[in-house]
Amino acid sequence: MNQFSLKHFIVRSQALALYRDVMRTVMKIEDQDYRKEIREWARSEFHRNRSLRDLGEIRTQVALGRRSLNELKLAMQMAS
Amino acid sequence: MLSSTFRFLTRTSTFVRPMMTTLARRSLSFKPTLVNLNDKHRQSAMIINHIPVRQSHVHYTYPMIESRVMLVLRLFDKIDGDALQLDSKFAQDLGLDSLDIVEITAALEDEFWTEIPDVDSDHFLTPRHIIQYLCDKYDVYEHVEPVSAGKEYMEEAKAAAERAHHH
């Protein structure tokens, strides 16, 4: 029996939705070097945590990611 | 006065963000305003009052969509340009995972100025799927064989006529 449950599937789709929001926000950054830097940082953060299997840990990381994304959006608004 | 109108025209065109890899040109349509164009001052009136308005729809064709999608995929740094074919699978042949697919989808959204929800990007397994999805979205049917309901009937009728002829 596969150890992954429905909750895992839901949490996985939440993480992918967060990654998608991050990528869409990153696309709007004008400066190419800064855009590359932020994209590499986001990629490394997600790939670093990709082997997590505990639901609580994954949810915590997703929430932290959301907060970082909101900070990034604020910073972009203030810069423009 | 002519220089100020020229400046006005160039300023309105900056509201449209240039598309990175667009191959088709947007057609300008000049919408005339409520000015009588038949009077003596026709020349100056035309320049001042014809404000160029860009159409919102580009004419999408299958080669244009295909080349743009392949360009976006080639520009992605995790994809090997030589191994990229229309039917090469992202997961098996090119070694991409779900995070990369999300990134590619975001790049495609940026290129085609559209939204691609997660439920649709789950089905992107080869570049051909992406191209087919975009063709469906923009109603492009050039590459599809037209289905004729009468084709089989014509063949049957021809065969029956041949049989009748030979008897």
Side-chain angles (χ1 to χ4, degrees):
Chain A
M1 185 73 182
N2 199 351
Q3 67 204 17
F4 292 122
S5 66
L6 175 64
K7 289 192 186 143
H8 276 101
F9 176 76
I10 292 176
V11 142
R12 176 179 181 269
S13 52
Q14 281 173 352
L16 287 176
L18 173 64
Y19 192 65
R20 194 180 46 142
D21 290 339
V22 167
M23 284 300 135
R24 278 187 187 164
T25 309
V26 157
M27 285 290 169
K28 293 199 195 119
I29 298 179
E30 303 299 333
D31 187 5
Q32 294 292 333
D33 297 325
Y34 196 53
R35 189 191 292 187
K36 211 176 290 185
E37 196 185 321
I38 297 283
R39 196 165 54 199
E40 293 302 322
W41 173 76
R43 263 196 209 173
S44 61
E45 288 289 307
F46 272 83
H47 281 287
R48 187 165 57 88
N49 292 320
R50 64 187 295 161
S51 52
L52 286 180
R53 293 291 173 255
D54 179 39
L55 286 176
E57 282 179 32
I58 300 177
R59 287 200 192 107
T60 314
Q61 292 296 323
V62 168
L64 282 176
R66 278 264 160 228
R67 227 170 291 162
S68 302
L69 177 63
N70 288 336
E71 282 177 17
L72 176 67
K73 281 185 186 168
L74 259 172
M76 277 172 61
Q77 261 182 353
M78 288 205 273
S80 64
Chain B
M1 178 155 77
L2 214 57
S3 62
S4 67
T5 57
F6 181 67
R7 252 184 281 132
F8 174 71
L9 285 175
T10 49
R11 234 184 321 124
T12 50
S13 68
T14 58
F15 280 115
V16 176
R17 201 184 110 202
M19 224 189 277
M20 162 171 85
T21 55
T22 191
L23 298 172
R25 279 195 208 95
R26 295 186 184 205
S27 57
L28 291 177
S29 87
F30 286 84
K31 284 199 177 155
T33 57
L34 298 170
V35 166
N36 189 1
L37 297 174
N38 289 325
D39 53 2
K40 279 188 289 188
H41 306 291
R42 183 178 173 174
Q43 291 299 318
S44 52
M46 266 173 65
I47 296 172
I48 294 172
N49 290 299
H50 275 194
I51 301 169
V53 171
R54 288 186 187 269
Q55 301 281 7
S56 56
H57 291 107
V58 187
H59 180 59
Y60 280 91
T61 64
Y62 177 77
M64 178 241 260
I65 292 182
E66 181 186 347
S67 50
R68 280 163 79 185
V69 166
M70 297 309 270
L71 181 63
V72 166
L73 290 175
R74 261 173 232 282
L75 287 175
F76 192 58
D77 53 2
K78 280 196 188 167
I79 287 188
D80 180 20
D82 305 325
L84 182 66
Q85 300 293 324
L86 266 182
D87 285 314
S88 50
K89 296 205 177 67
F90 291 131
Q92 288 91 328
D93 301 332
L94 299 166
L96 302 175
D97 63 353
S98 52
L99 290 176
D100 298 323
I101 300 287
V102 169
E103 224 178 302
I104 289 172
T105 310
L108 286 166
E109 281 180 346
D110 196 46
E111 168 65 21
F112 284 92
W113 281 58
T114 182
E115 301 261 321
I116 302 177
D118 270 347
V119 288
D120 291 333
S121 62
D122 280 344
H123 297 289
F124 289 166
L125 300 174
T126 71
R128 197 182 283 270
H129 291 185
I130 300 177
I131 295 170
Q132 186 57 53
Y133 173 81
L134 289 166
C135 284
D136 291 341
K137 194 180 262 268
Y138 292 112
D139 285 331
V140 171
Y141 299 114
E142 299 167 358
H143 57 295
V144 175
E145 273 260 339
V147 174
S148 157
K151 219 193 297 188
E152 291 83 16
Y153 173 77
M154 286 303 296
E155 281 166 16
E156 271 181 24
K158 239 187 274 187
E162 296 243 333
R163 263 181 274 131
H165 185 73
H166 285 306
H167 275 321

